[in-house]
Amino acid sequence: MVITGVIRPPAEIRAVADKTALFVAKNGRAFESRILNSAKGKTPKFAFLHDSSPFHAYYEDKIRFYEEGGEEKEKDGQAEKELQEKKKQEEEKPIKEAEEKKKQEELQKKKEKAQKASALDPVATALLGRRKIIKEA
């Protein structure tokens, strides 16, 4: 199966593909061969190095871009920023969930307290009324 066109990979793959393409453009295809022959080259992180990957065309375009004198610009660093932002959100997610849970528990306690108070108010009113009658007598 031959894939035509360029499919832009997700941020975490794009960051690795961009850096790898930059190093391959600077150091030659031997660098790519070393990655492919290493244990890391067999991981999903470097799957874009294989011709069968849907992201291989993107990777090859990046190599050509860097070989033709293209420089790593702010746009190319955007993938890394997106990855960092995603990681930050994932790290903050448990904290936000804990805060939300704490708020829900506090709200539940307030509701329970209000229900108890409303149930006690008629009793307290009746007792105070009796006390008033007893004091007057």
Side-chain angles (χ1 to χ4, degrees):
M1 180 170 104
V2 176
I3 299 171
T4 58
V6 176
I7 300 171
R8 191 168 190 219
E12 50 275 346
I13 296 172
R14 194 167 57 243
V16 176
D18 289 350
K19 289 286 183 187
T20 306
L22 181 62
F23 283 111
V24 169
K26 287 181 180 179
N27 303 316
R29 293 287 179 163
F31 181 78
E32 180 182 62
S33 296
R34 277 187 272 154
I35 294 172
L36 281 169
N37 294 330
S38 72
K40 280 189 175 183
K42 294 168 182 52
T43 63
K45 182 178 179 181
F46 288 98
F48 62 86
L49 293 172
H50 303 281
D51 293 337
S52 60
S53 171
F55 308 124
H56 186 72
Y58 173 85
Y59 166 69
E60 289 293 331
D61 276 353
K62 277 295 183 177
I63 292 173
R64 270 186 245 109
F65 172 76
Y66 291 129
E67 286 175 341
E68 293 171 359
E71 295 182 15
E72 192 172 15
K73 298 178 184 173
E74 192 67 34
K75 183 180 177 184
D76 295 332
Q78 183 178 357
E80 201 165 315
K81 287 180 183 178
E82 289 174 8
L83 180 60
Q84 289 174 353
E85 183 64 30
K86 186 176 178 180
K87 285 182 181 179
K88 182 179 177 184
Q89 288 174 354
E90 289 175 2
E91 289 172 358
E92 291 175 351
K93 187 177 179 181
I95 296 169
K96 288 181 180 180
E97 288 175 353
E99 289 174 352
E100 185 64 30
K101 186 177 179 182
K102 187 176 179 180
K103 286 180 184 178
Q104 291 294 332
E105 289 173 353
E106 288 175 2
L107 184 62
Q108 184 65 28
K109 286 179 183 178
K110 285 181 182 179
K111 285 181 181 179
E112 289 173 4
K113 193 174 185 179
Q115 288 174 346
K116 287 179 184 176
S118 63
L120 294 177
D121 284 344
V123 174
T125 305
L127 288 173
L128 289 174
R130 291 280 184 206
R131 185 184 288 171
K132 197 175 197 181
I133 293 171
I134 294 172
K135 284 184 181 179
E136 290 177 358

